[in-house]
Amino acid sequence: MKASFSAKRVLGGALLACAGWMCSTQQAISLPAPIATGADTMPLTQEWDKTFPQSNKIDHQKVTFKNRYGITLAADLYLPKYRDAQKLAAIAVSGPFGAVKEQSSGLYAQTMAERGFVTLAFDPSYTGESGGEPRNLASPEINTEDFSAAVDYLGLLPYVDRQRIGIIGVCGFGGMALNAAAVDKRIKAVVTASMYDMSRVMAKGYYDSMTLEQRTQALEAMSQQRWIDAEKGAPQAGPRNLPESREGIDNPVVSMYFDYYRTPRGFHPRSVNSNGAWNATNPLSFMNMPLLTNISEISPRPILLIAGDKAHSLYFSQDAYKAAGKPKALLIIRDAVHTDLYDRMDIIPFDKLEDFFTKNLK
């Protein structure tokens, strides 16, 4: 499914951007109190406000921790309800780009916790319940660091084996996950679902269709916008990520995103994709900092890339697979579009994810 996208729309900020372990002798153990990590006390929503139902097979708690830049991140910690005293493998999850932990990443985290892993779904810096000013900002460096900060947190938990930590990145945070794994050797295995390389798409447009003239014009406009922001003392918001209504949508990919983020299926008020816009200058750092430059350095740690055969984003996973070192696998899901891997429990290959992490986090 190939769609036409303008460079103006991409760079203007409208880009959206994916148990057999339980034995009869195990007993439910109460959730331990979260460890102190130096994070500031933050008021976090305590009621269950996810886009998916709460499982009775897990224990859940809101937690906070700081990244290397001093930004406090908010997260949902999930543990299998039935577990013994042995330390467990753990997985940090984030994405999609512009989403919050109450959406797709939380669903992945809860499901993998049902399958025996300690999991952590976090809001990236500047979004959701996490800290950072200004709001609605993304950064290839800081969002990559967010994954490593999540690994910091998981590795300090007394019931986690810090030698058995993996990560999952959905959509744009698939690229961040690969970038984090390349530099952070503590990450033992990485999975991406409907992966986007955000630096590539912002720098070159969809299908690398942006011309040098278009790139120069976009950078010129954002450079001038910085004068305006500096004079005002605050950043200017770009165009809404998605329209208020479906009326007038003629692009099949925009319609696909609308069906997830702007309907009860996936809407969440704290998601910039559901309810807002990125800052107008948001693409600047992405356009100059390629995320997947060192993807080959993840080897010999394993990579599993999952994408739908009808996803407009499939080429990102295909090209990442070509560039990565071994061991690696590309799993293409039949008849699946990009957002099917956000929440379609009948399509997301959780058995494959369980097998992958069980094998590689041992």
Side-chain angles (χ1 to χ4, degrees), residues 118-164:
V118 176
T119 62
L120 188 74
F122 63 88
D123 283 334
S125 297
Y126 309 108
T127 63
E129 293 186 297
S130 286
E133 295 289 339
R135 305 305 294 168
N136 296 346
L137 181 68
S139 161
E141 163 63 10
I142 295 176
N143 292 151
T144 295
E145 158 61 22
D146 290 341
F147 264 113
S148 288
V151 173
D152 293 343
Y153 179 83
L154 287 169
L156 294 179
L157 294 174
Y159 40 85
V160 167
D161 182 346
R162 66 170 58 176
Q163 302 304 318
R164 300 164 62 205

Short mmCIF file of all heavy atoms in Angstrom, two decimals, residues 118-164:
data_model
loop_
_atom_site.label_atom_id
_atom_site.label_comp_id
_atom_site.label_asym_id
_atom_site.label_seq_id
_atom_site.Cartn_x
_atom_site.Cartn_y
_atom_site.Cartn_z
N VAL A 118 9.17 -9.46 33.53
CA VAL A 118 8.96 -8.15 34.13
C VAL A 118 9.02 -7.14 32.99
O VAL A 118 9.97 -7.16 32.20
CB VAL A 118 10.05 -7.83 35.18
CG1 VAL A 118 9.87 -6.40 35.72
CG2 VAL A 118 10.00 -8.84 36.31
N THR A 119 8.03 -6.28 32.87
CA THR A 119 8.00 -5.35 31.75
C THR A 119 7.75 -3.93 32.22
O THR A 119 7.14 -3.69 33.27
CB THR A 119 6.93 -5.75 30.71
OG1 THR A 119 5.64 -5.70 31.34
CG2 THR A 119 7.19 -7.13 30.16
N LEU A 120 8.21 -2.98 31.43
CA LEU A 120 8.10 -1.57 31.74
C LEU A 120 7.72 -0.82 30.47
O LEU A 120 8.48 -0.81 29.51
CB LEU A 120 9.43 -1.05 32.28
CG LEU A 120 9.47 0.36 32.83
CD1 LEU A 120 8.79 0.43 34.20
CD2 LEU A 120 10.92 0.86 32.94
N ALA A 121 6.53 -0.23 30.45
CA ALA A 121 6.11 0.63 29.33
C ALA A 121 6.24 2.07 29.80
O ALA A 121 5.65 2.46 30.80
CB ALA A 121 4.67 0.31 28.94
N PHE A 122 7.00 2.88 29.08
CA PHE A 122 7.27 4.24 29.54
C PHE A 122 6.85 5.29 28.52
O PHE A 122 6.82 5.03 27.31
CB PHE A 122 8.75 4.41 29.88
CG PHE A 122 9.70 4.25 28.71
CD1 PHE A 122 10.04 5.32 27.91
CD2 PHE A 122 10.27 3.01 28.44
CE1 PHE A 122 10.92 5.17 26.84
CE2 PHE A 122 11.17 2.84 27.39
CZ PHE A 122 11.49 3.92 26.57
N ASP A 123 6.51 6.47 29.05
CA ASP A 123 6.28 7.64 28.21
C ASP A 123 7.64 8.27 27.91
O ASP A 123 8.42 8.53 28.83
CB ASP A 123 5.42 8.68 28.94
CG ASP A 123 3.95 8.31 28.95
OD1 ASP A 123 3.50 7.58 28.05
OD2 ASP A 123 3.24 8.79 29.87
N PRO A 124 7.95 8.54 26.64
CA PRO A 124 9.21 9.21 26.33
C PRO A 124 9.26 10.63 26.91
O PRO A 124 8.23 11.22 27.25
CB PRO A 124 9.20 9.25 24.79
CG PRO A 124 8.23 8.19 24.38
CD PRO A 124 7.19 8.17 25.45
N SER A 125 10.45 11.16 27.01
CA SER A 125 10.63 12.53 27.47
C SER A 125 9.75 13.50 26.67
O SER A 125 9.55 13.32 25.47
CB SER A 125 12.10 12.95 27.30
OG SER A 125 12.95 12.17 28.10
N TYR A 126 9.24 14.50 27.36
CA TYR A 126 8.46 15.60 26.79
C TYR A 126 7.05 15.22 26.38
O TYR A 126 6.32 16.03 25.80
CB TYR A 126 9.17 16.22 25.56
CG TYR A 126 10.60 16.60 25.81
CD1 TYR A 126 11.65 15.86 25.25
CD2 TYR A 126 10.91 17.69 26.60
CE1 TYR A 126 12.97 16.20 25.48
CE2 TYR A 126 12.24 18.04 26.84
CZ TYR A 126 13.26 17.29 26.27
OH TYR A 126 14.57 17.64 26.51
N THR A 127 6.63 13.97 26.67
CA THR A 127 5.29 13.54 26.27
C THR A 127 4.61 12.79 27.40
O THR A 127 5.25 12.33 28.35
CB THR A 127 5.35 12.62 25.03
OG1 THR A 127 6.08 11.43 25.35
CG2 THR A 127 6.00 13.32 23.84
N GLY A 128 3.29 12.64 27.29
CA GLY A 128 2.52 11.86 28.25
C GLY A 128 2.69 12.40 29.65
O GLY A 128 2.67 13.61 29.89
N GLU A 129 2.89 11.48 30.60
CA GLU A 129 3.09 11.86 32.00
C GLU A 129 4.55 12.09 32.35
O GLU A 129 4.86 12.45 33.50
CB GLU A 129 2.49 10.80 32.92
CG GLU A 129 0.99 10.68 32.86
CD GLU A 129 0.43 9.71 33.88
OE1 GLU A 129 0.75 8.50 33.78
OE2 GLU A 129 -0.32 10.15 34.76
N SER A 130 5.45 11.90 31.40
CA SER A 130 6.87 12.13 31.67
C SER A 130 7.18 13.61 31.69
O SER A 130 6.43 14.45 31.17
CB SER A 130 7.73 11.42 30.62
OG SER A 130 7.73 10.02 30.84
N GLY A 131 8.31 13.95 32.28
CA GLY A 131 8.73 15.34 32.37
C GLY A 131 9.41 15.82 31.11
O GLY A 131 9.48 15.13 30.09
N GLY A 132 9.94 17.03 31.21
CA GLY A 132 10.63 17.65 30.08
C GLY A 132 9.85 18.82 29.51
O GLY A 132 8.66 18.71 29.27
N GLU A 133 10.55 19.91 29.32
CA GLU A 133 9.98 21.11 28.70
C GLU A 133 10.86 21.53 27.54
O GLU A 133 12.08 21.43 27.61
CB GLU A 133 9.88 22.25 29.73
CG GLU A 133 8.92 22.00 30.87
CD GLU A 133 7.46 22.04 30.44
OE1 GLU A 133 7.19 22.65 29.37
OE2 GLU A 133 6.62 21.49 31.15
N PRO A 134 10.23 22.04 26.45
CA PRO A 134 8.79 22.22 26.23
C PRO A 134 8.10 20.89 25.95
O PRO A 134 8.77 19.87 25.72
CB PRO A 134 8.73 23.13 25.01
CG PRO A 134 9.95 22.77 24.23
CD PRO A 134 11.00 22.44 25.28
N ARG A 135 6.79 20.89 25.96
CA ARG A 135 6.03 19.69 25.70
C ARG A 135 5.96 19.40 24.19
O ARG A 135 6.26 20.25 23.36
CB ARG A 135 4.59 19.82 26.26
CG ARG A 135 4.54 20.18 27.73
CD ARG A 135 5.33 19.21 28.58
NE ARG A 135 4.74 17.87 28.56
CZ ARG A 135 5.35 16.79 29.03
NH1 ARG A 135 6.58 16.86 29.50
NH2 ARG A 135 4.73 15.62 28.98
N ASN A 136 5.54 18.17 23.89
CA ASN A 136 5.33 17.75 22.50
C ASN A 136 6.58 17.94 21.64
O ASN A 136 6.55 18.51 20.56
CB ASN A 136 4.14 18.48 21.88
CG ASN A 136 2.84 18.15 22.57
OD1 ASN A 136 2.75 17.19 23.34
ND2 ASN A 136 1.81 18.94 22.32
N LEU A 137 7.68 17.44 22.18
CA LEU A 137 8.97 17.50 21.52
C LEU A 137 9.55 16.08 21.45
O LEU A 137 9.32 15.27 22.34
CB LEU A 137 9.91 18.41 22.31
CG LEU A 137 11.32 18.61 21.76
CD1 LEU A 137 11.28 19.39 20.45
CD2 LEU A 137 12.19 19.33 22.79
N ALA A 138 10.28 15.79 20.40
CA ALA A 138 10.99 14.52 20.27
C ALA A 138 12.44 14.79 19.95
O ALA A 138 12.77 15.84 19.38
CB ALA A 138 10.34 13.64 19.19
N SER A 139 13.31 13.85 20.29
CA SER A 139 14.74 14.02 20.06
C SER A 139 15.37 12.66 19.79
O SER A 139 15.18 11.73 20.58
CB SER A 139 15.40 14.65 21.29
OG SER A 139 16.80 14.43 21.29
N PRO A 140 16.14 12.51 18.71
CA PRO A 140 16.76 11.21 18.45
C PRO A 140 17.72 10.81 19.57
O PRO A 140 17.81 9.63 19.92
CB PRO A 140 17.50 11.42 17.12
CG PRO A 140 17.65 12.90 16.99
CD PRO A 140 16.46 13.50 17.67
N GLU A 141 18.42 11.77 20.16
CA GLU A 141 19.37 11.47 21.23
C GLU A 141 18.66 11.19 22.54
O GLU A 141 18.90 10.17 23.19
CB GLU A 141 20.34 12.65 21.41
CG GLU A 141 21.11 12.67 22.72
CD GLU A 141 22.05 11.50 22.92
OE1 GLU A 141 22.26 10.72 21.98
OE2 GLU A 141 22.56 11.35 24.05
N ILE A 142 17.75 12.08 22.95
CA ILE A 142 17.13 11.92 24.27
C ILE A 142 16.16 10.75 24.28
O ILE A 142 16.08 10.00 25.26
CB ILE A 142 16.44 13.24 24.69
CG1 ILE A 142 17.50 14.32 24.88
CG2 ILE A 142 15.63 13.05 25.96
CD1 ILE A 142 16.95 15.69 25.19
N ASN A 143 15.44 10.53 23.20
CA ASN A 143 14.51 9.39 23.18
C ASN A 143 15.24 8.06 23.10
O ASN A 143 14.74 7.04 23.60
CB ASN A 143 13.52 9.53 22.02
CG ASN A 143 12.55 10.68 22.20
OD1 ASN A 143 12.07 11.26 21.23
ND2 ASN A 143 12.25 11.04 23.45
N THR A 144 16.43 8.04 22.49
CA THR A 144 17.27 6.85 22.56
C THR A 144 17.73 6.62 23.99
O THR A 144 17.69 5.49 24.51
CB THR A 144 18.49 6.99 21.62
OG1 THR A 144 18.04 7.04 20.27
CG2 THR A 144 19.46 5.83 21.79
N GLU A 145 18.15 7.68 24.65
CA GLU A 145 18.56 7.60 26.05
C GLU A 145 17.43 7.12 26.94
O GLU A 145 17.66 6.40 27.92
CB GLU A 145 19.04 8.98 26.52
CG GLU A 145 19.01 9.24 28.01
CD GLU A 145 19.89 8.31 28.83
OE1 GLU A 145 20.84 7.71 28.27
OE2 GLU A 145 19.63 8.17 30.04
N ASP A 146 16.18 7.46 26.60
CA ASP A 146 15.04 7.01 27.41
C ASP A 146 15.01 5.48 27.53
O ASP A 146 14.68 4.94 28.59
CB ASP A 146 13.72 7.51 26.81
CG ASP A 146 13.54 9.02 26.95
OD1 ASP A 146 14.21 9.64 27.79
OD2 ASP A 146 12.69 9.57 26.20
N PHE A 147 15.34 4.78 26.45
CA PHE A 147 15.40 3.32 26.52
C PHE A 147 16.49 2.86 27.49
O PHE A 147 16.28 1.95 28.30
CB PHE A 147 15.65 2.72 25.14
CG PHE A 147 14.41 2.29 24.41
CD1 PHE A 147 14.00 2.93 23.26
CD2 PHE A 147 13.65 1.22 24.88
CE1 PHE A 147 12.85 2.54 22.59
CE2 PHE A 147 12.50 0.81 24.21
CZ PHE A 147 12.10 1.48 23.07
N SER A 148 17.65 3.48 27.43
CA SER A 148 18.73 3.09 28.33
C SER A 148 18.38 3.40 29.78
O SER A 148 18.75 2.65 30.69
CB SER A 148 20.04 3.78 27.93
OG SER A 148 20.56 3.23 26.74
N ALA A 149 17.67 4.50 30.01
CA ALA A 149 17.23 4.84 31.37
C ALA A 149 16.25 3.79 31.89
O ALA A 149 16.26 3.45 33.08
CB ALA A 149 16.60 6.22 31.39
N ALA A 150 15.39 3.27 30.99
CA ALA A 150 14.48 2.20 31.39
C ALA A 150 15.25 0.94 31.75
O ALA A 150 14.88 0.22 32.69
CB ALA A 150 13.48 1.92 30.25
N VAL A 151 16.33 0.66 31.03
CA VAL A 151 17.19 -0.48 31.37
C VAL A 151 17.85 -0.25 32.73
O VAL A 151 17.95 -1.17 33.56
CB VAL A 151 18.25 -0.71 30.27
CG1 VAL A 151 19.26 -1.79 30.70
CG2 VAL A 151 17.57 -1.11 28.96
N ASP A 152 18.30 0.99 32.99
CA ASP A 152 18.83 1.33 34.32
C ASP A 152 17.84 0.93 35.41
O ASP A 152 18.18 0.26 36.39
CB ASP A 152 19.08 2.84 34.45
CG ASP A 152 20.19 3.36 33.57
OD1 ASP A 152 21.01 2.57 33.07
OD2 ASP A 152 20.24 4.60 33.39
N TYR A 153 16.60 1.38 35.22
CA TYR A 153 15.57 1.15 36.24
C TYR A 153 15.31 -0.35 36.44
O TYR A 153 15.30 -0.84 37.57
CB TYR A 153 14.28 1.86 35.85
CG TYR A 153 13.16 1.62 36.85
CD1 TYR A 153 13.08 2.37 38.01
CD2 TYR A 153 12.23 0.61 36.64
CE1 TYR A 153 12.08 2.14 38.95
CE2 TYR A 153 11.24 0.37 37.58
CZ TYR A 153 11.16 1.14 38.72
OH TYR A 153 10.19 0.88 39.65
N LEU A 154 15.11 -1.05 35.34
CA LEU A 154 14.82 -2.48 35.44
C LEU A 154 15.97 -3.24 36.11
O LEU A 154 15.75 -4.13 36.93
CB LEU A 154 14.54 -3.06 34.06
CG LEU A 154 13.20 -2.68 33.43
CD1 LEU A 154 13.17 -3.09 31.95
CD2 LEU A 154 12.04 -3.33 34.17
N GLY A 155 17.19 -2.88 35.77
CA GLY A 155 18.33 -3.60 36.31
C GLY A 155 18.58 -3.38 37.79
O GLY A 155 19.33 -4.15 38.41
N LEU A 156 17.94 -2.37 38.37
CA LEU A 156 18.06 -2.13 39.81
C LEU A 156 16.95 -2.79 40.61
O LEU A 156 17.01 -2.80 41.85
CB LEU A 156 18.07 -0.62 40.08
CG LEU A 156 19.28 0.16 39.56
CD1 LEU A 156 19.14 1.64 39.89
CD2 LEU A 156 20.59 -0.39 40.12
N LEU A 157 15.97 -3.34 39.94
CA LEU A 157 14.90 -4.03 40.65
C LEU A 157 15.43 -5.35 41.22
O LEU A 157 16.10 -6.11 40.51
CB LEU A 157 13.72 -4.30 39.72
CG LEU A 157 12.97 -3.07 39.21
CD1 LEU A 157 11.92 -3.46 38.18
CD2 LEU A 157 12.30 -2.31 40.36
N PRO A 158 15.14 -5.65 42.47
CA PRO A 158 15.73 -6.84 43.09
C PRO A 158 15.26 -8.16 42.50
O PRO A 158 15.91 -9.19 42.68
CB PRO A 158 15.30 -6.72 44.57
CG PRO A 158 14.08 -5.85 44.53
CD PRO A 158 14.31 -4.89 43.41
N TYR A 159 14.13 -8.15 41.78
CA TYR A 159 13.59 -9.38 41.21
C TYR A 159 13.87 -9.50 39.72
O TYR A 159 13.30 -10.35 39.04
CB TYR A 159 12.08 -9.47 41.48
CG TYR A 159 11.35 -8.16 41.33
CD1 TYR A 159 10.89 -7.73 40.09
CD2 TYR A 159 11.12 -7.34 42.42
CE1 TYR A 159 10.24 -6.53 39.94
CE2 TYR A 159 10.46 -6.14 42.30
CZ TYR A 159 10.03 -5.73 41.05
OH TYR A 159 9.37 -4.52 40.92
N VAL A 160 14.76 -8.64 39.21
CA VAL A 160 15.15 -8.69 37.79
C VAL A 160 16.61 -9.12 37.68
O VAL A 160 17.48 -8.65 38.41
CB VAL A 160 14.96 -7.32 37.12
CG1 VAL A 160 15.67 -7.27 35.75
CG2 VAL A 160 13.48 -7.02 36.93
N ASP A 161 16.86 -10.03 36.75
CA ASP A 161 18.23 -10.43 36.41
C ASP A 161 18.76 -9.42 35.39
O ASP A 161 18.33 -9.42 34.23
CB ASP A 161 18.22 -11.84 35.82
CG ASP A 161 19.61 -12.36 35.48
OD1 ASP A 161 20.56 -11.56 35.44
OD2 ASP A 161 19.73 -13.57 35.24
N ARG A 162 19.66 -8.56 35.80
CA ARG A 162 20.11 -7.48 34.92
C ARG A 162 20.92 -7.97 33.72
O ARG A 162 21.19 -7.19 32.79
CB ARG A 162 20.92 -6.45 35.70
CG ARG A 162 22.23 -6.94 36.25
CD ARG A 162 23.07 -5.81 36.80
NE ARG A 162 22.40 -5.06 37.86
CZ ARG A 162 22.96 -4.08 38.55
NH1 ARG A 162 24.20 -3.71 38.28
NH2 ARG A 162 22.30 -3.46 39.50
N GLN A 163 21.29 -9.25 33.70
CA GLN A 163 21.95 -9.82 32.53
C GLN A 163 20.95 -10.33 31.50
O GLN A 163 21.34 -10.86 30.46
CB GLN A 163 22.87 -10.97 32.95
CG GLN A 163 23.93 -10.58 33.96
CD GLN A 163 24.81 -9.43 33.49
OE1 GLN A 163 25.22 -9.39 32.32
NE2 GLN A 163 25.08 -8.49 34.38
N ARG A 164 19.63 -10.16 31.80
CA ARG A 164 18.59 -10.69 30.91
C ARG A 164 17.54 -9.60 30.64
O ARG A 164 16.38 -9.73 30.97
CB ARG A 164 17.93 -11.92 31.55
CG ARG A 164 18.91 -13.05 31.83
CD ARG A 164 18.31 -14.06 32.80
NE ARG A 164 17.09 -14.67 32.24
CZ ARG A 164 16.12 -15.19 32.99
NH1 ARG A 164 16.19 -15.12 34.32
NH2 ARG A 164 15.08 -15.74 32.42
#
